[in-house]
Amino acid sequence: MTTLMAQEYCGPVYDMWDRATAKHGLLIHGITNRAVNGFLYNQVIPVLDPMEAVKRMQIHAEWVSKKQWREEMQQYREVTAPAMVVRHRALQKVDMSQMNDSEFSQYVERCLNHAIASWAEHHSTGFLALLPVGAFALKAMQWTGLSFVDVLAVYNGVAKATRGPAASSEMEHLAELVLANQEALAIVNDESIDGFVKLLDYPGEIGAAANVVFERFGWNLSGGYDISGRCISEVPRLLTSALLVAMKEHGKPDVAAELGLEAAAKIRAKVPSEHQAEYDEVLYDAKIGHQMRDERGLYNDIWGVGIGRRCLLELGRRLHLKGILEDPIYIIEASKPEILAFAQGEPLVTSEELKARKMFRESGDVAMAPKWLGSAPVAAAPPPGLPAETAFTMQIIGFFISHLYSAPESEGGENVISGIPASVGVIEGEARVIFGPEDFGQIKQGDIVVTTSTSPAFNIILPMISGIVTDYGGALSHAALVAREARLPCVASTLNGTKKIKSGMRIHVDG
């Protein structure tokens, strides 16, 4: 990770977790993060003080009895997320080219603070997103005897934002206009150009609609959460590909949503009649939580950090023109104090030092980093005598974490790679091994993406691919979530898929 993320991510994110867990009465302070040699390590911090634990359990019992998560989820979706979008748009609409150095220096600080705040805001609702999803899974499995993967089928079609820009209302409107205009249609279908970019200058409604799409997605990160990830507008033809999918799907029924409703009805039929009313209730909450889980990134750091990157690219350009930086992109490697010093005309670090950091970061291989710092953690049984509400919630947290980071039961064989079945389906096709947005340009329509893991920023490529294979993650990982939403076969947690599989290989995926 970059120096900026290593120094500015961990503290605010832990503080946000700590406040949220105290508010909800959990027996953990949250998840602390530490960056070691460019790799991020996590640890759950338990509440050890007996008096505080008793107080928290009382808070949690009241929170559960009043079902306060519903009010909080509504508050997030109707107030918090829209307010974050307003702040994104206000910063993004600033014309940096019209700023003198003093004005721009102040703008740089605002953008950095905004990016850091968006990292933290992403985690403010982490518990709200996982609680209803985990509660539904545990209860549905108990009532029906079905597997975890089976009950996850109810989420098909629920999180439309997961499908990326292609499924957005902005892109759907543009697709409708282009389909009705033969000249614009020819531009988009011309594979020799980036059709979407051409539409930005197209007269009338089409050009205006294209600019609305760009304003919403152009400065979103296309991969990961770090400021080193390229934005969608920096990767050729990504928005063109999304537009082509929107045009293809225009006017068609939402098959994923229909499958999700069908799965929910079939599972409900297996639930004993005395539990069916509760099934409906927990499923309702779980669908909202499931939507929130992916939307948090899209409304917060995917966009907020992208705006920070936009600002740093301009700073790097200015520094390069002044002969201070050999390459404008080196500014991405600077810490917050170093960035602000550059903006104020008082550099604290040389171009050569930033170049060295870039080379070190890009040469890092997560497989070389130790899995644990110190001895591996030992699973502990929950303490006896916990109130029912607290015991169930802690069970949910453990269940959720275990399915975020699962390990395969077997190592496979010479020509077989095993992993966790994460999205039902079978596909055979050409593999494309990618490690980040810098590789998105290699993807061809119908490829099976093989990668270490995914983030919400990967949603942009979903319309182009036919399957997903990851090194890490379980049935609740982001890759699994988006694969089910997009009806793509997915195998997660292969551990070594990116090493054994080479781009261009023909592979068979059974999720």
Side-chain angles (χ1 to χ4, degrees), residues 235-270:
V235 184
R237 291 189 60 81
L238 274 188
L239 286 174
T240 299
S241 297
L243 175 56
L244 286 167
V245 171
M247 290 160 51
K248 180 181 177 182
E249 297 299 318
H250 181 69
K252 294 182 180 178
D254 190 337
V255 177
E258 292 175 357
L259 290 173
L261 292 173
E262 181 181 328
K266 287 182 178 179
I267 294 171
R268 189 181 192 276
K270 296 178 181 293

PDB file of all heavy atoms in Angstrom, residues 235-270:
ATOM      1  N   VAL A 235      -8.700   4.431 -17.327  1.00  0.00           N
ATOM      2  CA  VAL A 235      -8.607   3.117 -17.972  1.00  0.00           C
ATOM      3  C   VAL A 235      -9.432   3.154 -19.256  1.00  0.00           C
ATOM      4  O   VAL A 235     -10.663   3.278 -19.201  1.00  0.00           O
ATOM      5  CB  VAL A 235      -9.124   2.002 -17.049  1.00  0.00           C
ATOM      6  CG1 VAL A 235      -8.920   0.636 -17.711  1.00  0.00           C
ATOM      7  CG2 VAL A 235      -8.413   2.050 -15.700  1.00  0.00           C
ATOM      8  N   PRO A 236      -8.788   3.075 -20.419  1.00  0.00           N
ATOM      9  CA  PRO A 236      -9.502   3.191 -21.693  1.00  0.00           C
ATOM     10  C   PRO A 236     -10.641   2.190 -21.841  1.00  0.00           C
ATOM     11  O   PRO A 236     -10.513   1.025 -21.452  1.00  0.00           O
ATOM     12  CB  PRO A 236      -8.406   2.931 -22.738  1.00  0.00           C
ATOM     13  CG  PRO A 236      -7.126   3.272 -22.036  1.00  0.00           C
ATOM     14  CD  PRO A 236      -7.340   2.876 -20.599  1.00  0.00           C
ATOM     15  N   ARG A 237     -11.742   2.672 -22.385  1.00  0.00           N
ATOM     16  CA  ARG A 237     -12.890   1.870 -22.806  1.00  0.00           C
ATOM     17  C   ARG A 237     -13.685   1.215 -21.670  1.00  0.00           C
ATOM     18  O   ARG A 237     -14.628   0.462 -21.934  1.00  0.00           O
ATOM     19  CB  ARG A 237     -12.468   0.795 -23.824  1.00  0.00           C
ATOM     20  CG  ARG A 237     -12.046   1.381 -25.178  1.00  0.00           C
ATOM     21  CD  ARG A 237     -11.852   0.287 -26.216  1.00  0.00           C
ATOM     22  NE  ARG A 237     -13.064  -0.500 -26.450  1.00  0.00           N
ATOM     23  CZ  ARG A 237     -14.067  -0.133 -27.238  1.00  0.00           C
ATOM     24  NH1 ARG A 237     -14.006   1.028 -27.871  1.00  0.00           N
ATOM     25  NH2 ARG A 237     -15.115  -0.912 -27.398  1.00  0.00           N
ATOM     26  N   LEU A 238     -13.378   1.489 -20.414  1.00  0.00           N
ATOM     27  CA  LEU A 238     -14.167   0.877 -19.347  1.00  0.00           C
ATOM     28  C   LEU A 238     -15.616   1.363 -19.384  1.00  0.00           C
ATOM     29  O   LEU A 238     -16.555   0.568 -19.283  1.00  0.00           O
ATOM     30  CB  LEU A 238     -13.555   1.184 -17.979  1.00  0.00           C
ATOM     31  CG  LEU A 238     -12.448   0.265 -17.486  1.00  0.00           C
ATOM     32  CD1 LEU A 238     -12.097   0.577 -16.040  1.00  0.00           C
ATOM     33  CD2 LEU A 238     -12.838  -1.209 -17.612  1.00  0.00           C
ATOM     34  N   LEU A 239     -15.804   2.666 -19.519  1.00  0.00           N
ATOM     35  CA  LEU A 239     -17.167   3.182 -19.565  1.00  0.00           C
ATOM     36  C   LEU A 239     -17.852   2.834 -20.886  1.00  0.00           C
ATOM     37  O   LEU A 239     -19.074   2.664 -20.931  1.00  0.00           O
ATOM     38  CB  LEU A 239     -17.174   4.692 -19.338  1.00  0.00           C
ATOM     39  CG  LEU A 239     -16.908   5.105 -17.877  1.00  0.00           C
ATOM     40  CD1 LEU A 239     -16.776   6.615 -17.749  1.00  0.00           C
ATOM     41  CD2 LEU A 239     -18.019   4.593 -16.963  1.00  0.00           C
ATOM     42  N   THR A 240     -17.077   2.691 -21.947  1.00  0.00           N
ATOM     43  CA  THR A 240     -17.660   2.228 -23.216  1.00  0.00           C
ATOM     44  C   THR A 240     -18.201   0.811 -23.055  1.00  0.00           C
ATOM     45  O   THR A 240     -19.310   0.502 -23.517  1.00  0.00           O
ATOM     46  CB  THR A 240     -16.614   2.266 -24.344  1.00  0.00           C
ATOM     47  OG1 THR A 240     -16.171   3.607 -24.521  1.00  0.00           O
ATOM     48  CG2 THR A 240     -17.203   1.757 -25.651  1.00  0.00           C
ATOM     49  N   SER A 241     -17.428  -0.045 -22.400  1.00  0.00           N
ATOM     50  CA  SER A 241     -17.873  -1.431 -22.167  1.00  0.00           C
ATOM     51  C   SER A 241     -19.141  -1.463 -21.326  1.00  0.00           C
ATOM     52  O   SER A 241     -20.065  -2.241 -21.597  1.00  0.00           O
ATOM     53  CB  SER A 241     -16.763  -2.224 -21.469  1.00  0.00           C
ATOM     54  OG  SER A 241     -15.617  -2.304 -22.288  1.00  0.00           O
ATOM     55  N   ALA A 242     -19.179  -0.612 -20.295  1.00  0.00           N
ATOM     56  CA  ALA A 242     -20.374  -0.556 -19.448  1.00  0.00           C
ATOM     57  C   ALA A 242     -21.588  -0.078 -20.244  1.00  0.00           C
ATOM     58  O   ALA A 242     -22.698  -0.600 -20.083  1.00  0.00           O
ATOM     59  CB  ALA A 242     -20.115   0.369 -18.261  1.00  0.00           C
ATOM     60  N   LEU A 243     -21.376   0.891 -21.131  1.00  0.00           N
ATOM     61  CA  LEU A 243     -22.472   1.394 -21.962  1.00  0.00           C
ATOM     62  C   LEU A 243     -22.976   0.307 -22.911  1.00  0.00           C
ATOM     63  O   LEU A 243     -24.193   0.155 -23.108  1.00  0.00           O
ATOM     64  CB  LEU A 243     -22.015   2.621 -22.743  1.00  0.00           C
ATOM     65  CG  LEU A 243     -23.007   3.207 -23.754  1.00  0.00           C
ATOM     66  CD1 LEU A 243     -24.335   3.546 -23.088  1.00  0.00           C
ATOM     67  CD2 LEU A 243     -22.412   4.446 -24.415  1.00  0.00           C
ATOM     68  N   LEU A 244     -22.068  -0.453 -23.480  1.00  0.00           N
ATOM     69  CA  LEU A 244     -22.471  -1.535 -24.387  1.00  0.00           C
ATOM     70  C   LEU A 244     -23.335  -2.559 -23.657  1.00  0.00           C
ATOM     71  O   LEU A 244     -24.317  -3.064 -24.218  1.00  0.00           O
ATOM     72  CB  LEU A 244     -21.231  -2.210 -24.979  1.00  0.00           C
ATOM     73  CG  LEU A 244     -20.483  -1.404 -26.046  1.00  0.00           C
ATOM     74  CD1 LEU A 244     -19.117  -2.025 -26.331  1.00  0.00           C
ATOM     75  CD2 LEU A 244     -21.316  -1.318 -27.332  1.00  0.00           C
ATOM     76  N   VAL A 245     -22.988  -2.867 -22.420  1.00  0.00           N
ATOM     77  CA  VAL A 245     -23.794  -3.811 -21.639  1.00  0.00           C
ATOM     78  C   VAL A 245     -25.161  -3.211 -21.327  1.00  0.00           C
ATOM     79  O   VAL A 245     -26.190  -3.882 -21.431  1.00  0.00           O
ATOM     80  CB  VAL A 245     -23.062  -4.194 -20.337  1.00  0.00           C
ATOM     81  CG1 VAL A 245     -23.976  -5.000 -19.425  1.00  0.00           C
ATOM     82  CG2 VAL A 245     -21.818  -5.001 -20.660  1.00  0.00           C
ATOM     83  N   ALA A 246     -25.188  -1.941 -20.945  1.00  0.00           N
ATOM     84  CA  ALA A 246     -26.466  -1.279 -20.654  1.00  0.00           C
ATOM     85  C   ALA A 246     -27.371  -1.288 -21.883  1.00  0.00           C
ATOM     86  O   ALA A 246     -28.592  -1.475 -21.774  1.00  0.00           O
ATOM     87  CB  ALA A 246     -26.214   0.149 -20.182  1.00  0.00           C
ATOM     88  N   MET A 247     -26.776  -1.085 -23.060  1.00  0.00           N
ATOM     89  CA  MET A 247     -27.559  -1.124 -24.294  1.00  0.00           C
ATOM     90  C   MET A 247     -28.089  -2.530 -24.564  1.00  0.00           C
ATOM     91  O   MET A 247     -29.238  -2.709 -24.990  1.00  0.00           O
ATOM     92  CB  MET A 247     -26.698  -0.644 -25.465  1.00  0.00           C
ATOM     93  CG  MET A 247     -26.391   0.859 -25.415  1.00  0.00           C
ATOM     94  SD  MET A 247     -24.944   1.349 -26.404  1.00  0.00           S
ATOM     95  CE  MET A 247     -25.320   0.610 -27.984  1.00  0.00           C
ATOM     96  N   LYS A 248     -27.261  -3.519 -24.299  1.00  0.00           N
ATOM     97  CA  LYS A 248     -27.664  -4.911 -24.522  1.00  0.00           C
ATOM     98  C   LYS A 248     -28.808  -5.312 -23.592  1.00  0.00           C
ATOM     99  O   LYS A 248     -29.713  -6.063 -23.983  1.00  0.00           O
ATOM    100  CB  LYS A 248     -26.456  -5.826 -24.314  1.00  0.00           C
ATOM    101  CG  LYS A 248     -26.748  -7.298 -24.506  1.00  0.00           C
ATOM    102  CD  LYS A 248     -25.495  -8.135 -24.249  1.00  0.00           C
ATOM    103  CE  LYS A 248     -25.788  -9.622 -24.362  1.00  0.00           C
ATOM    104  NZ  LYS A 248     -24.576 -10.435 -24.054  1.00  0.00           N
ATOM    105  N   GLU A 249     -28.768  -4.812 -22.361  1.00  0.00           N
ATOM    106  CA  GLU A 249     -29.765  -5.203 -21.353  1.00  0.00           C
ATOM    107  C   GLU A 249     -30.998  -4.303 -21.350  1.00  0.00           C
ATOM    108  O   GLU A 249     -31.952  -4.577 -20.631  1.00  0.00           O
ATOM    109  CB  GLU A 249     -29.124  -5.180 -19.963  1.00  0.00           C
ATOM    110  CG  GLU A 249     -27.981  -6.168 -19.783  1.00  0.00           C
ATOM    111  CD  GLU A 249     -28.430  -7.602 -19.965  1.00  0.00           C
ATOM    112  OE1 GLU A 249     -29.526  -7.948 -19.464  1.00  0.00           O
ATOM    113  OE2 GLU A 249     -27.698  -8.380 -20.611  1.00  0.00           O
ATOM    114  N   HIS A 250     -30.970  -3.231 -22.127  1.00  0.00           N
ATOM    115  CA  HIS A 250     -32.058  -2.255 -22.099  1.00  0.00           C
ATOM    116  C   HIS A 250     -33.395  -2.908 -22.446  1.00  0.00           C
ATOM    117  O   HIS A 250     -33.541  -3.599 -23.453  1.00  0.00           O
ATOM    118  CB  HIS A 250     -31.777  -1.125 -23.092  1.00  0.00           C
ATOM    119  CG  HIS A 250     -32.847  -0.073 -23.100  1.00  0.00           C
ATOM    120  ND1 HIS A 250     -33.058   0.780 -22.049  1.00  0.00           N
ATOM    121  CD2 HIS A 250     -33.783   0.253 -24.049  1.00  0.00           C
ATOM    122  CE1 HIS A 250     -34.064   1.591 -22.323  1.00  0.00           C
ATOM    123  NE2 HIS A 250     -34.520   1.295 -23.531  1.00  0.00           N
ATOM    124  N   GLY A 251     -34.366  -2.681 -21.592  1.00  0.00           N
ATOM    125  CA  GLY A 251     -35.712  -3.192 -21.838  1.00  0.00           C
ATOM    126  C   GLY A 251     -35.924  -4.637 -21.450  1.00  0.00           C
ATOM    127  O   GLY A 251     -37.058  -5.140 -21.533  1.00  0.00           O
ATOM    128  N   LYS A 252     -34.885  -5.341 -21.012  1.00  0.00           N
ATOM    129  CA  LYS A 252     -35.017  -6.740 -20.635  1.00  0.00           C
ATOM    130  C   LYS A 252     -35.387  -6.861 -19.156  1.00  0.00           C
ATOM    131  O   LYS A 252     -35.052  -5.989 -18.355  1.00  0.00           O
ATOM    132  CB  LYS A 252     -33.707  -7.489 -20.901  1.00  0.00           C
ATOM    133  CG  LYS A 252     -33.326  -7.591 -22.369  1.00  0.00           C
ATOM    134  CD  LYS A 252     -32.042  -8.392 -22.535  1.00  0.00           C
ATOM    135  CE  LYS A 252     -31.658  -8.508 -24.019  1.00  0.00           C
ATOM    136  NZ  LYS A 252     -30.378  -9.262 -24.188  1.00  0.00           N
ATOM    137  N   PRO A 253     -36.054  -7.943 -18.781  1.00  0.00           N
ATOM    138  CA  PRO A 253     -36.385  -8.137 -17.367  1.00  0.00           C
ATOM    139  C   PRO A 253     -35.124  -8.382 -16.545  1.00  0.00           C
ATOM    140  O   PRO A 253     -34.103  -8.830 -17.073  1.00  0.00           O
ATOM    141  CB  PRO A 253     -37.291  -9.373 -17.380  1.00  0.00           C
ATOM    142  CG  PRO A 253     -36.931 -10.099 -18.650  1.00  0.00           C
ATOM    143  CD  PRO A 253     -36.570  -9.031 -19.640  1.00  0.00           C
ATOM    144  N   ASP A 254     -35.194  -8.068 -15.260  1.00  0.00           N
ATOM    145  CA  ASP A 254     -34.061  -8.277 -14.366  1.00  0.00           C
ATOM    146  C   ASP A 254     -34.056  -9.736 -13.926  1.00  0.00           C
ATOM    147  O   ASP A 254     -34.714 -10.120 -12.951  1.00  0.00           O
ATOM    148  CB  ASP A 254     -34.181  -7.346 -13.150  1.00  0.00           C
ATOM    149  CG  ASP A 254     -32.925  -7.337 -12.300  1.00  0.00           C
ATOM    150  OD1 ASP A 254     -32.161  -8.315 -12.363  1.00  0.00           O
ATOM    151  OD2 ASP A 254     -32.714  -6.366 -11.556  1.00  0.00           O
ATOM    152  N   VAL A 255     -33.316 -10.567 -14.664  1.00  0.00           N
ATOM    153  CA  VAL A 255     -33.304 -12.009 -14.405  1.00  0.00           C
ATOM    154  C   VAL A 255     -32.745 -12.311 -13.016  1.00  0.00           C
ATOM    155  O   VAL A 255     -33.249 -13.184 -12.299  1.00  0.00           O
ATOM    156  CB  VAL A 255     -32.473 -12.740 -15.483  1.00  0.00           C
ATOM    157  CG1 VAL A 255     -32.385 -14.231 -15.171  1.00  0.00           C
ATOM    158  CG2 VAL A 255     -33.084 -12.522 -16.857  1.00  0.00           C
ATOM    159  N   ALA A 256     -31.713 -11.586 -12.616  1.00  0.00           N
ATOM    160  CA  ALA A 256     -31.110 -11.836 -11.299  1.00  0.00           C
ATOM    161  C   ALA A 256     -32.133 -11.614 -10.191  1.00  0.00           C
ATOM    162  O   ALA A 256     -32.237 -12.418  -9.255  1.00  0.00           O
ATOM    163  CB  ALA A 256     -29.903 -10.927 -11.094  1.00  0.00           C
ATOM    164  N   ALA A 257     -32.907 -10.545 -10.294  1.00  0.00           N
ATOM    165  CA  ALA A 257     -33.920 -10.265  -9.270  1.00  0.00           C
ATOM    166  C   ALA A 257     -34.989 -11.353  -9.245  1.00  0.00           C
ATOM    167  O   ALA A 257     -35.440 -11.772  -8.171  1.00  0.00           O
ATOM    168  CB  ALA A 257     -34.552  -8.903  -9.523  1.00  0.00           C
ATOM    169  N   GLU A 258     -35.376 -11.823 -10.425  1.00  0.00           N
ATOM    170  CA  GLU A 258     -36.375 -12.885 -10.500  1.00  0.00           C
ATOM    171  C   GLU A 258     -35.853 -14.173  -9.851  1.00  0.00           C
ATOM    172  O   GLU A 258     -36.588 -14.862  -9.132  1.00  0.00           O
ATOM    173  CB  GLU A 258     -36.756 -13.145 -11.957  1.00  0.00           C
ATOM    174  CG  GLU A 258     -37.513 -11.991 -12.601  1.00  0.00           C
ATOM    175  CD  GLU A 258     -37.782 -12.216 -14.075  1.00  0.00           C
ATOM    176  OE1 GLU A 258     -37.317 -13.255 -14.613  1.00  0.00           O
ATOM    177  OE2 GLU A 258     -38.444 -11.364 -14.706  1.00  0.00           O
ATOM    178  N   LEU A 259     -34.589 -14.488 -10.088  1.00  0.00           N
ATOM    179  CA  LEU A 259     -33.993 -15.683  -9.482  1.00  0.00           C
ATOM    180  C   LEU A 259     -33.925 -15.550  -7.968  1.00  0.00           C
ATOM    181  O   LEU A 259     -34.133 -16.528  -7.238  1.00  0.00           O
ATOM    182  CB  LEU A 259     -32.594 -15.909 -10.056  1.00  0.00           C
ATOM    183  CG  LEU A 259     -32.531 -16.352 -11.519  1.00  0.00           C
ATOM    184  CD1 LEU A 259     -31.075 -16.373 -12.004  1.00  0.00           C
ATOM    185  CD2 LEU A 259     -33.154 -17.732 -11.687  1.00  0.00           C
ATOM    186  N   GLY A 260     -33.625 -14.337  -7.484  1.00  0.00           N
ATOM    187  CA  GLY A 260     -33.565 -14.134  -6.041  1.00  0.00           C
ATOM    188  C   GLY A 260     -34.913 -14.325  -5.384  1.00  0.00           C
ATOM    189  O   GLY A 260     -35.017 -14.963  -4.327  1.00  0.00           O
ATOM    190  N   LEU A 261     -35.961 -13.792  -5.998  1.00  0.00           N
ATOM    191  CA  LEU A 261     -37.312 -13.957  -5.448  1.00  0.00           C
ATOM    192  C   LEU A 261     -37.729 -15.426  -5.477  1.00  0.00           C
ATOM    193  O   LEU A 261     -38.359 -15.929  -4.541  1.00  0.00           O
ATOM    194  CB  LEU A 261     -38.298 -13.111  -6.244  1.00  0.00           C
ATOM    195  CG  LEU A 261     -38.142 -11.589  -6.110  1.00  0.00           C
ATOM    196  CD1 LEU A 261     -39.064 -10.867  -7.084  1.00  0.00           C
ATOM    197  CD2 LEU A 261     -38.423 -11.150  -4.673  1.00  0.00           C
ATOM    198  N   GLU A 262     -37.353 -16.110  -6.550  1.00  0.00           N
ATOM    199  CA  GLU A 262     -37.680 -17.534  -6.671  1.00  0.00           C
ATOM    200  C   GLU A 262     -36.963 -18.340  -5.589  1.00  0.00           C
ATOM    201  O   GLU A 262     -37.555 -19.229  -4.956  1.00  0.00           O
ATOM    202  CB  GLU A 262     -37.266 -18.030  -8.058  1.00  0.00           C
ATOM    203  CG  GLU A 262     -37.580 -19.490  -8.322  1.00  0.00           C
ATOM    204  CD  GLU A 262     -37.127 -19.941  -9.705  1.00  0.00           C
ATOM    205  OE1 GLU A 262     -37.152 -19.097 -10.626  1.00  0.00           O
ATOM    206  OE2 GLU A 262     -36.741 -21.109  -9.842  1.00  0.00           O
ATOM    207  N   ALA A 263     -35.691 -18.031  -5.353  1.00  0.00           N
ATOM    208  CA  ALA A 263     -34.928 -18.740  -4.324  1.00  0.00           C
ATOM    209  C   ALA A 263     -35.516 -18.480  -2.941  1.00  0.00           C
ATOM    210  O   ALA A 263     -35.636 -19.409  -2.116  1.00  0.00           O
ATOM    211  CB  ALA A 263     -33.465 -18.297  -4.362  1.00  0.00           C
ATOM    212  N   ALA A 264     -35.902 -17.221  -2.668  1.00  0.00           N
ATOM    213  CA  ALA A 264     -36.474 -16.880  -1.362  1.00  0.00           C
ATOM    214  C   ALA A 264     -37.764 -17.652  -1.108  1.00  0.00           C
ATOM    215  O   ALA A 264     -38.015 -18.117   0.015  1.00  0.00           O
ATOM    216  CB  ALA A 264     -36.721 -15.383  -1.284  1.00  0.00           C
ATOM    217  N   ALA A 265     -38.581 -17.798  -2.156  1.00  0.00           N
ATOM    218  CA  ALA A 265     -39.840 -18.529  -2.010  1.00  0.00           C
ATOM    219  C   ALA A 265     -39.596 -20.017  -1.765  1.00  0.00           C
ATOM    220  O   ALA A 265     -40.272 -20.643  -0.928  1.00  0.00           O
ATOM    221  CB  ALA A 265     -40.693 -18.326  -3.264  1.00  0.00           C
ATOM    222  N   LYS A 266     -38.633 -20.591  -2.466  1.00  0.00           N
ATOM    223  CA  LYS A 266     -38.330 -22.026  -2.288  1.00  0.00           C
ATOM    224  C   LYS A 266     -37.787 -22.297  -0.888  1.00  0.00           C
ATOM    225  O   LYS A 266     -38.133 -23.309  -0.257  1.00  0.00           O
ATOM    226  CB  LYS A 266     -37.318 -22.466  -3.342  1.00  0.00           C
ATOM    227  CG  LYS A 266     -37.898 -22.591  -4.751  1.00  0.00           C
ATOM    228  CD  LYS A 266     -36.854 -23.086  -5.742  1.00  0.00           C
ATOM    229  CE  LYS A 266     -37.450 -23.256  -7.124  1.00  0.00           C
ATOM    230  NZ  LYS A 266     -36.426 -23.718  -8.115  1.00  0.00           N
ATOM    231  N   ILE A 267     -36.925 -21.412  -0.401  1.00  0.00           N
ATOM    232  CA  ILE A 267     -36.378 -21.595   0.947  1.00  0.00           C
ATOM    233  C   ILE A 267     -37.486 -21.433   1.985  1.00  0.00           C
ATOM    234  O   ILE A 267     -37.577 -22.203   2.949  1.00  0.00           O
ATOM    235  CB  ILE A 267     -35.233 -20.603   1.202  1.00  0.00           C
ATOM    236  CG1 ILE A 267     -34.063 -20.916   0.276  1.00  0.00           C
ATOM    237  CG2 ILE A 267     -34.780 -20.647   2.658  1.00  0.00           C
ATOM    238  CD1 ILE A 267     -32.960 -19.871   0.291  1.00  0.00           C
ATOM    239  N   ARG A 268     -38.345 -20.450   1.786  1.00  0.00           N
ATOM    240  CA  ARG A 268     -39.440 -20.232   2.737  1.00  0.00           C
ATOM    241  C   ARG A 268     -40.333 -21.456   2.843  1.00  0.00           C
ATOM    242  O   ARG A 268     -40.860 -21.784   3.923  1.00  0.00           O
ATOM    243  CB  ARG A 268     -40.271 -19.028   2.289  1.00  0.00           C
ATOM    244  CG  ARG A 268     -41.307 -18.559   3.315  1.00  0.00           C
ATOM    245  CD  ARG A 268     -42.100 -17.370   2.772  1.00  0.00           C
ATOM    246  NE  ARG A 268     -42.891 -16.730   3.802  1.00  0.00           N
ATOM    247  CZ  ARG A 268     -44.106 -17.130   4.189  1.00  0.00           C
ATOM    248  NH1 ARG A 268     -44.649 -18.178   3.611  1.00  0.00           N
ATOM    249  NH2 ARG A 268     -44.747 -16.482   5.147  1.00  0.00           N
ATOM    250  N   ALA A 269     -40.522 -22.149   1.723  1.00  0.00           N
ATOM    251  CA  ALA A 269     -41.373 -23.340   1.728  1.00  0.00           C
ATOM    252  C   ALA A 269     -40.796 -24.444   2.605  1.00  0.00           C
ATOM    253  O   ALA A 269     -41.537 -25.318   3.081  1.00  0.00           O
ATOM    254  CB  ALA A 269     -41.565 -23.847   0.295  1.00  0.00           C
ATOM    255  N   LYS A 270     -39.499 -24.419   2.821  1.00  0.00           N
ATOM    256  CA  LYS A 270     -38.846 -25.424   3.665  1.00  0.00           C
ATOM    257  C   LYS A 270     -38.838 -25.029   5.138  1.00  0.00           C
ATOM    258  O   LYS A 270     -38.488 -25.830   6.009  1.00  0.00           O
ATOM    259  CB  LYS A 270     -37.403 -25.651   3.201  1.00  0.00           C
ATOM    260  CG  LYS A 270     -37.263 -26.238   1.798  1.00  0.00           C
ATOM    261  CD  LYS A 270     -35.793 -26.387   1.411  1.00  0.00           C
ATOM    262  CE  LYS A 270     -35.644 -26.946   0.006  1.00  0.00           C
ATOM    263  NZ  LYS A 270     -36.117 -28.363  -0.079  1.00  0.00           N
TER     264      LYS A 270
END
